[in-house]
Amino acid sequence: MLTDQMNEASQDEDNVALSNTKETEKKQRKRKKDCEEKNKKKRKKDCEEKHETKEMELAWKPEDCAKPLGEEDSVQLVPDDPNSKPYCAIIKDIYIPNKEKYVKLAVHWFYRPEDVDKKHVGKWESKDSRNLFYSFHRDEVFAESVKHKCVVNFVPENKQIPNRREHPCFIVQNVYDFVKKKLRKFTDKNFDVHQKNEIDRLVAKTSLCLGDLPDIEKDQVTKTSKGKRTVQRKSPKTSTVYKSILEDFDLLTGDSDRDKRLGELLEAVKHECRTSKKKGARDDDSYWPDDVVPVVRALEHVFYDSMAEDMSKYHHKLEILVDELKTSRLLARRLLDGELKPEQVVKMTRYELTRGFTFDDITADLEEPIMRNDAPSTSNNVGQNED
């Protein structure tokens, strides 16, 4: 009897303990569920706040400016010193760096003449208050630092600067090498291929916008020695050689001035021709004089037809062409190979002749600017600063 009572009491204690355990587990599950719900709501709220913040931070777009911005646009930017003139630059890239929240621009800086030490510009003298120097000094800036777009025209040194009233814009005629502290002309041979191509495109864009600017007329300087004029003359023997070639091909015009120009053109391109049919000669070179005379004759004929009413212009243009053909192997080769037609050459500016390409050739690969999000800059030099 006593044993039965003791067993019943033990069973009751076990039931109470079991009931308490279940109750505890139930409360724990509830607390866990409540905690999960609370964390879920918090994550949702944080996500929404983060999204709103990001939207605010990335709210700047090129379209937000008075005039939409794109790559290759020239802009003025807010300077560090409020009393200074605005900075000027060309946009090379528009992007949002990875793990960052703000739109940035990769730019190439312009330098104002007063910002460059005089000893670094050599004999250069400012001819216009609108002058800027271009540079390949690449940097990155925040998009919000842009004040507005501006117009910068790249004008070769042998061209007249556009009228201020008609074109109130900045003028660039030189490139400042910020590494070597040296001012360079557009035609400087020390530029690498990519730099040359960039300068060509910028000059071409100006030409497309302003048209063919007039050449600067240089005064004809007559050298005098002991009261007598001295004129550089070609060797009569040399002139006779080219005249004989023209006679052999029955291409003399009967006009001594025109025949003289034909001889000068022949002489100017001879350096790009092969004079032998030996196996060592390059097959792609024009053979002298058989392949050359017809090209030169067609070229002179186009010049004469275009400028017969203004022979001074005819002579001036051909003098420039002869000078460029003597120094530019690329120009001579493209002319002889037929890549440049006489009808194209007659319209080319001196800058185009120096480069050996027309502005149409240079601008053929220009692309529309693209806005890229969440992509790193295409430049390897972003952030590079001047020493």
Side-chain angles (χ1 to χ4, degrees):
M1 188 74 174
L2 180 60
T3 301
D4 292 339
Q5 289 178 350
M6 291 177 66
N7 288 338
E8 287 179 2
S10 177
Q11 187 175 1
D12 290 341
E13 289 176 359
D14 291 341
N15 289 338
V16 171
L18 181 61
S19 177
N20 290 338
T21 301
K22 290 181 177 180
E23 183 67 25
T24 300
E25 290 177 351
K26 185 177 180 181
K27 288 180 179 180
Q28 288 177 344
R29 284 196 299 270
K30 186 176 185 304
R31 282 197 299 269
K32 184 177 179 181
K33 185 176 181 181
D34 291 342
C35 186
E36 288 177 351
E37 288 290 334
K38 185 177 180 180
N39 290 336
K40 185 177 180 180
K41 290 179 180 180
K42 186 176 184 302
R43 284 196 301 270
K44 183 178 179 181
K45 183 179 180 181
D46 291 343
C47 184
E48 289 175 350
E49 288 178 351
K50 185 176 180 180
H51 181 70
E52 290 175 359
T53 302
K54 186 174 181 180
E55 284 186 341
M56 291 176 63
E57 291 169 340
L58 302 182
W60 185 92
K61 296 178 181 178
E63 294 79 8
D64 293 339
C65 295
K67 294 182 179 180
L69 297 179
E71 291 179 18
E72 301 302 324
D73 280 341
S74 299
V75 293
Q76 289 194 317
L77 302 102
V78 178
D80 296 330
D81 183 354
N83 296 320
S84 299
K85 294 180 180 179
Y87 299 144
C88 294
I90 284 185
I91 298 174
K92 308 306 293 185
D93 199 359
I94 302 175
Y95 60 97
I96 302 169
N98 290 334
K99 299 181 181 180
E100 293 194 24
K101 304 174 182 178
Y102 297 94
V103 179
K104 289 188 175 181
L105 309 176
V107 301
H108 279 182
W109 290 116
F110 291 104
Y111 283 79
R112 296 181 184 273
E114 60 266 28
D115 295 332
V116 178
D117 196 313
K118 290 184 179 180
K119 67 181 180 182
H120 297 150
V121 300
K123 297 181 180 180
W124 179 88
E125 294 182 0
S126 178
K127 299 176 183 178
D128 198 293
S129 60
R130 297 173 290 168
N131 282 128
L132 293 176
F133 301 145
Y134 187 53
S135 80
F136 294 102
H137 179 183
R138 192 171 178 113
D139 207 346
E140 68 174 5
V141 297
F142 289 106
E144 284 129 346
S145 65
V146 174
K147 291 185 66 176
H148 51 72
K149 291 174 67 172
C150 62
V151 178
V152 180
N153 288 325
F154 286 70
V155 181
E157 64 173 352
N158 65 301
K159 292 293 183 179
Q160 294 183 20
I161 294 175
N163 183 276
R164 180 187 294 271
R165 290 186 178 181
E166 296 178 5
H167 304 284
C169 51
F170 292 109
I171 302 295
V172 171
Q173 293 187 296
N174 298 88
V175 178
Y176 178 59
D177 185 336
F178 75 99
V179 175
K180 296 186 177 181
K181 314 293 185 187
K182 185 176 181 180
L183 205 60
R184 302 188 185 279
K185 297 179 180 180
F186 290 164
T187 53
D188 195 302
K189 295 182 180 180
N190 290 314
F191 293 124
D192 63 36
V193 174
H194 299 294
Q195 291 171 336
K196 286 180 180 179
N197 290 340
E198 181 171 342
I199 294 171
D200 287 345
R201 285 196 295 269
L202 293 169
V203 172
K205 286 177 67 176
T206 295
S207 180
L208 292 174
C209 180
L210 302 182
D212 186 14
L213 294 170
D215 291 334
I216 295 176
E217 297 295 337
K218 294 185 177 179
D219 296 333
Q220 299 298 322
V221 180
T222 303
K223 295 183 178 180
T224 59
S225 175
K226 296 182 180 181
K228 296 182 180 181
R229 293 189 304 171
T230 59
V231 181
Q232 293 182 349
R233 297 182 182 276
K234 287 187 177 181
S235 166
K237 184 178 180 180
T238 302
S239 300
T240 302
V241 169
Y242 294 110
K243 184 178 180 180
S244 298
I245 292 174
L246 293 171
E247 283 180 341
D248 291 342
F249 283 84
D250 194 24
L251 291 178
L252 288 174
T253 65
D255 183 322
S256 59
D257 287 336
R258 292 183 64 190
D259 292 341
K260 178 183 176 182
R261 295 301 178 195
L262 279 167
E264 290 173 347
L265 287 169
L266 282 173
E267 182 183 9
V269 298
K270 186 178 179 180
H271 63 88
E272 276 303 302
C273 303
R274 54 188 172 93
T275 56
S276 171
K277 291 186 177 181
K278 292 181 180 179
K279 293 181 179 180
R282 292 180 297 171
D283 294 334
D284 58 339
D285 281 351
S286 296
Y287 178 63
W288 175 267
D290 301 53
D291 298 337
V292 182
V293 174
V295 175
V296 167
R297 179 67 185 92
L299 181 62
E300 188 278 336
H301 187 71
V302 169
F303 270 78
Y304 182 76
D305 283 351
S306 301
M307 307 169 196
E309 297 181 359
D310 187 351
M311 290 303 291
S312 61
K313 183 177 180 181
Y314 163 87
H315 290 298
H316 177 64
K317 289 287 188 181
L318 278 178
E319 283 175 2
I320 292 174
L321 177 59
V322 168
D323 287 343
E324 295 299 334
L325 284 170
K326 287 180 178 179
T327 57
S328 175
R329 298 187 61 184
L330 177 62
L331 177 63
R333 190 182 306 118
R334 295 194 74 212
L335 174 64
L336 294 175
D337 290 348
E339 294 179 26
L340 284 173
K341 305 299 181 185
E343 294 78 12
Q344 292 176 295
V345 177
V346 74
K347 297 178 182 178
M348 291 173 71
T349 66
R350 185 157 197 161
Y351 184 86
E352 291 174 296
L353 293 172
T354 302
R355 289 303 194 199
F357 291 95
T358 67
F359 284 136
D360 288 340
D361 294 329
I362 295 169
T363 58
D365 61 342
L366 289 179
E367 299 178 354
E368 291 296 322
I370 300 173
M371 172 67 177
R372 289 181 288 276
N373 289 330
D374 297 322
S377 169
T378 57
S379 169
N380 293 325
N381 300 317
V382 172
Q384 178 180 350
N385 295 318
E386 182 177 1
D387 294 334

